[in-house]
Coordinates of all heavy atoms in Angstrom, one line a residue:
V215 N 0.8 -1.2 0.0 CA 0.0 -0.1 0.0 C 0.9 1.2 0.0 O 0.6 2.2 -0.7 CB -1.0 0.0 1.2 CG1 -1.8 1.3 1.2 CG2 -1.8 -1.2 1.2
A216 N 2.0 1.2 0.8 CA 2.9 2.4 0.8 C 3.5 2.6 -0.5 O 3.6 3.7 -1.0 CB 3.9 2.2 1.9
I217 N 3.9 1.5 -1.2 CA 4.5 1.6 -2.6 C 3.5 2.2 -3.5 O 3.7 3.1 -4.3 CB 5.0 0.3 -3.1 CG1 6.2 -0.2 -2.2 CG2 5.3 0.3 -4.5 CD1 6.7 -1.6 -2.5
A218 N 2.2 1.7 -3.5 CA 1.1 2.3 -4.3 C 0.9 3.7 -4.1 O 0.8 4.4 -5.1 CB -0.2 1.4 -4.1
L219 N 0.9 4.1 -2.9 CA 0.7 5.6 -2.5 C 1.9 6.4 -3.2 O 1.6 7.5 -3.7 CB 0.6 5.8 -1.1 CG -0.7 5.4 -0.4 CD1 -0.6 5.3 1.0 CD2 -1.8 6.4 -0.8
E220 N 3.1 5.9 -3.0 CA 4.3 6.6 -3.5 C 4.2 6.7 -5.1 O 4.3 7.7 -5.7 CB 5.5 6.0 -3.1 CG 5.9 6.1 -1.7 CD 6.3 7.5 -1.3 OE1 6.8 8.2 -2.1 OE2 6.1 7.9 -0.1
E221 N 3.9 5.6 -5.7 CA 3.8 5.5 -7.2 C 2.6 6.4 -7.7 O 2.8 7.1 -8.8 CB 3.6 4.1 -7.6 CG 4.8 3.2 -7.5 CD 5.9 3.6 -8.4 OE1 5.7 4.0 -9.6 OE2 7.1 3.6 -7.9
A222 N 1.5 6.5 -6.9 CA 0.4 7.3 -7.4 C 0.7 8.8 -7.1 O 0.0 9.6 -7.6 CB -0.8 6.9 -6.6
G223 N 1.7 9.1 -6.3 CA 2.1 10.5 -6.0 C 1.1 11.1 -5.1 O 1.0 12.3 -5.0
L224 N 0.4 10.3 -4.3 CA -0.6 10.8 -3.3 C 0.1 11.2 -2.0 O 0.8 10.4 -1.4 CB -1.8 9.8 -3.1 CG -2.6 9.5 -4.3 CD1 -3.6 8.4 -4.0 CD2 -3.4 10.7 -4.8
P225 N -0.3 12.3 -1.4 CA 0.3 12.7 -0.2 C -0.3 11.9 0.9 O -1.6 11.6 0.9 CB 0.0 14.2 -0.1 CG -1.1 14.4 -0.8 CD -1.0 13.4 -2.0
Y226 N 0.5 11.4 1.9 CA -0.1 10.6 3.0 C 0.9 10.7 4.1 O 2.0 11.1 4.1 CB -0.3 9.1 2.6 CG 1.0 8.4 2.4 CD1 1.6 7.6 3.3 CD2 1.8 8.5 1.2 CE1 2.8 6.9 3.2 CE2 2.9 7.8 0.9 CZ 3.4 7.0 2.0 OH 4.6 6.3 1.8
E227 N 0.3 10.3 5.3 CA 1.1 10.3 6.6 C 1.3 8.9 7.0 O 0.2 8.1 7.0 CB 0.4 11.1 7.7 CG 1.1 11.0 9.1 CD 0.2 11.5 10.1 OE1 -0.8 12.2 9.9 OE2 0.6 11.5 11.3
A228 N 2.5 8.4 7.1 CA 2.7 7.0 7.5 C 2.8 7.0 9.0 O 3.6 7.7 9.7 CB 4.1 6.5 6.9
I229 N 2.0 6.0 9.6 CA 1.9 5.8 11.1 C 2.3 4.4 11.3 O 1.6 3.4 11.0 CB 0.6 6.1 11.6 CG1 0.1 7.6 11.2 CG2 0.5 5.9 13.1 CD1 -1.4 7.9 11.4
K230 N 3.5 4.3 12.0 CA 4.0 2.9 12.2 C 3.3 2.3 13.4 O 3.1 2.9 14.5 CB 5.5 2.9 12.7 CG 6.1 1.7 12.9 CD 7.6 1.8 13.2 CE 8.2 0.5 13.5 NZ 9.6 0.6 14.0
V231 N 2.9 1.1 13.3 CA 2.2 0.3 14.4 C 3.3 -0.7 14.8 O 3.7 -1.6 14.0 CB 0.9 -0.4 13.8 CG1 0.2 -1.3 15.0 CG2 0.0 0.6 13.2
D232 N 3.8 -0.6 16.0 CA 4.8 -1.3 16.6 C 4.3 -2.6 17.1 O 3.8 -2.8 18.2 CB 5.5 -0.6 17.6 CG 6.8 -1.3 18.2 OD1 7.1 -2.3 17.6 OD2 7.4 -0.8 19.1
F233 N 4.4 -3.7 16.2 CA 3.9 -5.0 16.6 C 4.7 -5.6 17.8 O 4.1 -6.3 18.6 CB 3.9 -5.9 15.4 CG 2.7 -5.9 14.5 CD1 2.0 -4.8 14.4 CD2 2.5 -6.9 13.6 CE1 0.9 -4.7 13.6 CE2 1.4 -6.9 12.8 CZ 0.6 -5.7 12.8
A234 N 6.0 -5.3 17.9 CA 6.8 -5.8 18.9 C 6.4 -5.4 20.3 O 6.4 -6.1 21.2 CB 8.3 -5.4 18.7
S235 N 5.8 -4.2 20.4 CA 5.3 -3.7 21.7 C 3.8 -4.0 21.9 O 3.3 -3.7 22.9 CB 5.5 -2.2 21.8 OG 4.7 -1.5 21.0
G236 N 3.2 -4.6 20.9 CA 1.8 -5.0 20.9 C 0.8 -3.8 20.7 O -0.3 -3.8 21.2
A237 N 1.3 -2.8 20.0 CA 0.5 -1.6 19.7 C -0.8 -1.9 19.0 O -1.8 -1.3 19.2 CB 1.4 -0.6 18.9
Q238 N -0.7 -3.0 18.2 CA -2.0 -3.4 17.5 C -3.1 -3.9 18.4 O -4.2 -4.1 18.0 CB -1.7 -4.5 16.4 CG -1.4 -5.9 16.9 CD 0.1 -6.1 17.4 OE1 0.9 -5.2 17.7 NE2 0.5 -7.3 17.6
T239 N -2.8 -4.2 19.7 CA -3.8 -4.6 20.6 C -4.3 -3.5 21.5 O -5.2 -3.8 22.4 CB -3.2 -5.8 21.4 OG1 -2.2 -5.4 22.3 CG2 -2.8 -7.0 20.5
K240 N -3.8 -2.4 21.4 CA -4.0 -1.2 22.3 C -5.4 -0.5 21.8 O -5.6 -0.5 20.6 CB -3.0 -0.3 22.4 CG -1.6 -0.8 22.8 CD -1.6 -1.3 24.2 CE -0.2 -1.6 24.6 NZ 0.0 -2.9 25.2
P241 N -6.1 0.0 22.7 CA -7.4 0.7 22.3 C -7.2 1.7 21.2 O -8.1 1.8 20.3 CB -7.9 1.3 23.6 CG -7.3 0.4 24.7 CD -5.9 0.0 24.2
D242 N -6.1 2.5 21.2 CA -5.9 3.5 20.2 C -6.0 2.9 18.8 O -6.6 3.5 17.9 CB -4.6 4.3 20.4 CG -4.7 5.3 21.6 OD1 -5.9 5.6 22.1 OD2 -3.7 5.8 22.0
Y243 N -5.2 1.9 18.7 CA -5.2 1.3 17.3 C -6.5 0.5 17.0 O -6.9 0.5 15.8 CB -3.9 0.4 17.0 CG -3.9 0.0 15.6 CD1 -3.7 0.8 14.6 CD2 -4.2 -1.4 15.3 CE1 -3.8 0.5 13.2 CE2 -4.2 -1.7 13.9 CZ -4.0 -0.8 13.0 OH -4.1 -1.1 11.6
L244 N -7.0 -0.2 18.0 CA -8.2 -1.0 17.8 C -9.4 -0.1 17.4 O -10.3 -0.5 16.7 CB -8.6 -1.8 19.0 CG -7.6 -3.0 19.3 CD1 -7.9 -3.7 20.6 CD2 -7.5 -4.0 18.2
A245 N -9.3 1.2 17.7 CA -10.3 2.1 17.3 C -10.2 2.4 15.8 O -11.2 2.7 15.2 CB -10.2 3.5 18.0
V246 N -9.0 2.2 15.3 CA -8.8 2.4 13.8 C -9.2 1.0 13.1 O -9.9 1.0 12.1 CB -7.3 2.8 13.5 CG1 -7.1 2.8 12.0 CG2 -7.0 4.1 14.1
N247 N -8.7 -0.1 13.6 CA -8.9 -1.4 13.0 C -9.2 -2.4 14.1 O -8.3 -2.9 14.7 CB -7.7 -1.8 12.1 CG -8.1 -3.1 11.4 OD1 -9.1 -3.7 11.6 ND2 -7.2 -3.5 10.5
P248 N -10.4 -2.7 14.4 CA -10.8 -3.7 15.4 C -10.1 -5.0 15.2 O -10.1 -5.7 16.2 CB -12.3 -3.7 15.4 CG -12.7 -2.5 14.7 CD -11.6 -2.1 13.8
K249 N -9.7 -5.2 14.0 CA -9.0 -6.6 13.8 C -7.6 -6.6 14.3 O -7.0 -7.7 14.4 CB -9.0 -6.9 12.3 CG -10.4 -7.0 11.6 CD -10.2 -7.2 10.2 CE -11.4 -6.6 9.4 NZ -11.1 -6.7 7.9
G250 N -7.1 -5.5 14.5 CA -5.6 -5.4 15.1 C -4.6 -5.7 14.1 O -3.6 -6.2 14.3
R251 N -5.0 -5.5 12.7 CA -4.1 -5.8 11.6 C -3.7 -4.6 10.8 O -4.4 -3.6 10.9 CB -4.8 -6.8 10.7 CG -5.1 -8.1 11.4 CD -5.7 -9.0 10.4 NE -6.2 -10.3 11.0 CZ -7.1 -11.0 10.5 NH1 -7.6 -10.8 9.4 NH2 -7.4 -12.1 11.2
V252 N -2.7 -4.7 10.0 CA -2.3 -3.7 9.1 C -2.4 -4.3 7.7 O -2.2 -5.5 7.6 CB -0.9 -3.1 9.4 CG1 -0.9 -2.4 10.7 CG2 0.1 -4.2 9.4
P253 N -2.5 -3.5 6.7 CA -2.6 -2.1 6.7 C -4.0 -1.6 7.1 O -5.0 -2.4 7.0 CB -2.3 -1.7 5.3 CG -2.8 -2.8 4.5 CD -2.6 -4.0 5.3
A254 N -4.1 -0.4 7.4 CA -5.3 0.4 7.7 C -5.1 1.7 7.1 O -4.0 2.4 7.3 CB -5.7 0.5 9.1

């Protein structure tokens, strides 16, 4: 998805989800994607 955004020339903000620290299981990220997966 990041490559597609770059190739399309669309501006975007990249937000890293740190799987090592379990960020995908925290309420802040689960509010974005309840599945706890990337990409979102």
Side-chain angles (χ1 to χ4, degrees):
V215 178
I217 291 169
L219 285 164
E220 289 290 332
E221 288 293 319
L224 297 174
Y226 69 99
E227 176 185 355
I229 302 168
K230 182 179 177 185
V231 180
D232 186 3
F233 278 21
S235 70
Q238 74 277 18
T239 64
K240 306 289 190 233
D242 285 347
Y243 186 67
L244 292 175
V246 174
N247 186 353
K249 298 177 211 170
R251 298 182 187 157
V252 292

